Amino acid sequence: MDKSLIAAITGAALLLSPISFAAHVPKGVELAKTQDLVRGNDAEAATLDPLQAEGLAEMHIIRDLFEGLVIQNEHGEVIPGVAKSWENKNNRIYTFHLRKNAKWSNGDPVTAGDFVFALRRAVDPKFASPNAWYIKMTGIHNADKIIDGQAPVDTLGIKALDDHTLQYTLDKPVPYFIAMLAHTTMMPLDKKVVEKYGEGWSKPEHIVSNGAFKLDKWVINERLVMVRNPNYWDDKHTVLNKVTYVPFENQMSAMNRYRTGEIDMTSGVPSAIADEVKHDFPNAYQVTPLLCTYYYAFNMRHEPFNHVEVRKAASYSIMRDVITKDVTKVGYIPAYTFAHKYTANFHATQPAYSHWSQHKRDVVAEQLIDKAHEQHFHAKLLYNTSENHKSIAVAIASMWKKSIGADITLENQEWKSYLAARQQGNFDVMRASWCGDYNEASTFLSIFTTGNSRNYGGYSNPEYDKIIAKATVETDVKKRQKLYDQAEQILAKDMPIAPIFYYMQARLVNPHLGGFPKDNAEGRIYSKDLYLKAAKTG
């Protein structure tokens, strides 16, 4: 664990010395003459604005283009980014010292004021950032009041003490605050550029970024090309000269492009041919932890899912072992609680039904449906366009038909339409996944608090809200984890969602690609840490 994170948890004051954490090419490794990487992406990015990004497709790209105060190393540990050092006082006041050589891609210096400007923009109700909920979770002074329109933006608990010193003041102690700063919403914006171009600042012709790469070209639904940013503070340790992201909503297309050598790394593996892929590419097939949970959300505002009996029956009827072994086939782990199995320092007590045989689950499910008088109900199941999501939906719809007599209509939508539908509540049941924004149970469990914008099904339980509120300020790790466990038990009792599996990320990685992180549980792959090795001859 990084020393800064230890300080954040214990509340001790700590000043880090300036140090470079950039990955280095191991001695004896011969680099390829051409350092151009092509990465497959989950979908077309919906935006390049860090404050607006919601999905992994956007975040993968934004983490190459932008950099916040902290980033992560290959092990998922928090390390300095734009901030070279920081101090923490009682988990309430955090002071950061910015690198004086940090610059924007246009040569402007990155200042503390850029962070203040960006965060004030994010909490401004007129801007309506889809990630405002996340900023509320950080506990930054007045963030919740400002977002709810009850306080002026300039009362936010962030201030520039000078151009290179930034200070956050929190309303409550948040022991894991440092880790939360790696989120895209906490990244800076070049104030001059945003003020000049307004909402159009992130268009390819205007965008200015501060990460290891800068945008070169963006052909929608074809490719996004970025080139090395010579103004990046640690450019001397960057090896790649160009990174191209190719969007694939169909993973089979990505596989075909990998086979022909057109891409170096896929973002996934098609479930239908997972066994074949393992056999054909044993040196390229990689399975790594990924701090994401796949689940179905029930719309509690719609019949019949306003009945807890129906929600439980639907969840019990999902044959998770079948989904993970026979449908997805890429190493996913069956899930009965929400926070991922690899969440740091947390292991949830498993609900009773997780230990039952599938036969018993089906029998109880049928009894619950009878109790709710909802035999042979109809419902629509929403998912975003993907062969993997479709395969899972088809399988679960069949399970529900057989076990509880439900008549399910499958409804797939492309990514942007899907985002709009889930935000507007236009679904009965919806496939969703949640990836931890930092490695701590609150990143999962907080989204089901009342009014959270990621609480798509409209779940609300005052007892649950109270427990989460208490847990997020508890500095004793064991006590905090006990509270999180109570929250998981409430979710299992109320069943607003059906957890289905914990992700393990299967992908193909070119054996000549070096620096690929194999144990970053949040799946953060910074292109600045990667390099291409020369192919062996003879």
Side-chain angles (χ1 to χ4, degrees), residues 235-295:
D235 178 58
K236 67 180 180 180
H237 288 123
T238 303
V239 179
L240 296 175
N241 293 314
K242 183 168 74 172
V243 179
T244 301
Y245 280 88
V246 179
F248 294 103
E249 291 195 346
N250 184 326
Q251 285 296 328
M252 197 67 76
S253 297
M255 285 299 309
N256 292 335
R257 297 280 285 274
Y258 183 88
R259 290 178 186 276
T260 59
E262 296 177 71
I263 63 173
D264 297 298
M265 180 169 63
T266 68
S267 62
V269 170
S271 300
I273 61 169
D275 292 337
E276 176 186 338
V277 173
K278 293 177 192 177
H279 178 271
D280 291 351
F281 301 99
N283 296 326
Y285 192 85
Q286 298 279 358
V287 179
T288 57
L290 182 61
L291 205 67
C292 302
T293 300
Y294 194 102
Y295 66 102

Side-chain angles (χ1 to χ4, degrees), residues 8 40 55 65 80 82 107 109 148 261 290 347 357 372 410 413 438 521 535:
L65 292 174
V82 174
D148 294 339
L290 182 61
H347 299 285
S357 67
L410 303 185
Q413 296 182 2
Y438 49 95

Side-chain angles (χ1 to χ4, degrees), residues 2-47:
D2 178 64
K3 290 182 179 178
S4 62
L5 191 54
I6 294 174
I9 293 173
T10 63
L14 179 67
L15 180 64
L16 290 179
S17 300
I19 185 170
S20 171
F21 286 85
H24 296 273
V25 178
K27 290 182 179 180
V29 171
E30 182 182 354
L31 294 174
K33 293 182 179 179
T34 301
Q35 290 293 325
D36 296 350
L37 175 70
V38 183
R39 294 178 58 165
N41 205 5
D42 306 281
E44 181 58 85
T47 180

Side-chain angles (χ1 to χ4, degrees), residues 54 130 418-427 430 453-454 456:
E54 295 185 75
Y418 163 82
L419 288 178
R422 75 179 189 183
Q423 200 62 49
Q424 295 163 8
N426 293 334
F427 65 90
M430 180 193 75
S453 62
R454 293 298 185 277
Y456 306 115

Side-chain angles (χ1 to χ4, degrees), residues 213-231:
F213 297 88
K214 60 181 180 178
L215 185 65
D216 180 57
K217 184 184 299 183
W218 191 6
V219 181
I220 300 296
N221 293 321
E222 183 179 325
R223 69 188 186 281
L224 183 148
V225 183
M226 55 182 74
V227 296
R228 189 165 164 170
N229 175 14
N231 286 312

Side-chain angles (χ1 to χ4, degrees), residues 14-223:
L14 179 67
L15 180 64
L16 290 179
S17 300
I19 185 170
S20 171
F21 286 85
H24 296 273
V25 178
K27 290 182 179 180
V29 171
E30 182 182 354
L31 294 174
K33 293 182 179 179
T34 301
Q35 290 293 325
D36 296 350
L37 175 70
V38 183
R39 294 178 58 165
N41 205 5
D42 306 281
E44 181 58 85
T47 180
L48 296 183
D49 184 341
L51 309 188
Q52 297 279 29
E54 295 185 75
L56 288 177
E58 297 82 46
M59 292 182 182
H60 292 321
I61 294 169
I62 289 171
R63 279 195 287 266
D64 279 348
L65 292 174
F66 292 86
E67 184 172 280
L69 294 167
V70 299
I71 52 178
Q72 292 183 357
N73 64 14
E74 63 198 81
H75 305 297
E77 297 166 328
V78 176
I79 61 175
V82 174
K84 62 179 180 178
S85 60
W86 54 83
E87 300 133 28
N88 163 27
K89 184 178 180 182
N90 300 324
N91 295 319
R92 292 286 297 268
I93 299 177
Y94 292 82
T95 305
F96 295 85
H97 304 279
L98 278 56
R99 302 178 189 276
K100 293 184 179 180
N101 60 338
K103 296 180 180 180
W104 293 99
S105 54
N106 63 0
D108 289 344
V110 177
T111 69
D114 291 326
F115 283 89
V116 174
F117 170 76
L119 197 59
R120 285 181 175 179
R121 180 178 174 85
V123 299
D124 192 333
K126 292 183 291 186
F127 180 67
S129 169
N131 295 308
W133 64 272
Y134 183 83
I135 304 173
K136 286 185 177 183
M137 284 176 55
T138 65
I140 296 172
H141 177 63
N142 267 0
D144 52 350
K145 292 181 180 179
I146 296 168
I147 291 167
D148 294 339
Q150 299 172 0
V153 172
D154 60 7
T155 63
L156 186 66
I158 181 175
K159 60 182 177 180
L161 302 184
D162 58 47
D163 280 351
H164 296 98
T165 310
L166 180 69
Q167 188 173 86
Y168 293 86
T169 300
L170 312 187
D171 283 326
K172 59 183 181 180
V174 178
Y176 42 85
F177 180 73
I178 296 293
M180 297 187 76
L181 295 175
H183 192 274
T184 59
T185 306
M186 309 304 288
M187 291 176 173
L189 299 179
D190 189 322
K191 180 179 179 181
K192 292 190 297 185
V193 172
V194 176
E195 289 183 337
K196 181 177 180 179
Y197 296 109
E199 295 301 319
W201 78 268
S202 60
K203 292 182 177 180
E205 60 268 29
H206 302 315
I207 191 169
V208 171
S209 58
N210 72 319
F213 297 88
K214 60 181 180 178
L215 185 65
D216 180 57
K217 184 184 299 183
W218 191 6
V219 181
I220 300 296
N221 293 321
E222 183 179 325
R223 69 188 186 281

Side-chain angles (χ1 to χ4, degrees), residues 491-526:
L491 287 182
K493 177 174 66 72
D494 293 348
M495 204 69 75
I497 62 165
I500 299 174
F501 57 75
Y502 303 128
Y503 277 89
M504 294 291 287
Q505 182 62 68
R507 69 174 85 232
L508 289 181
V509 179
N510 187 332
H512 298 301
L513 180 64
F516 178 76
K518 296 184 178 181
D519 61 352
N520 184 314
E522 293 175 63
R524 300 190 180 190
I525 305 171
Y526 297 88

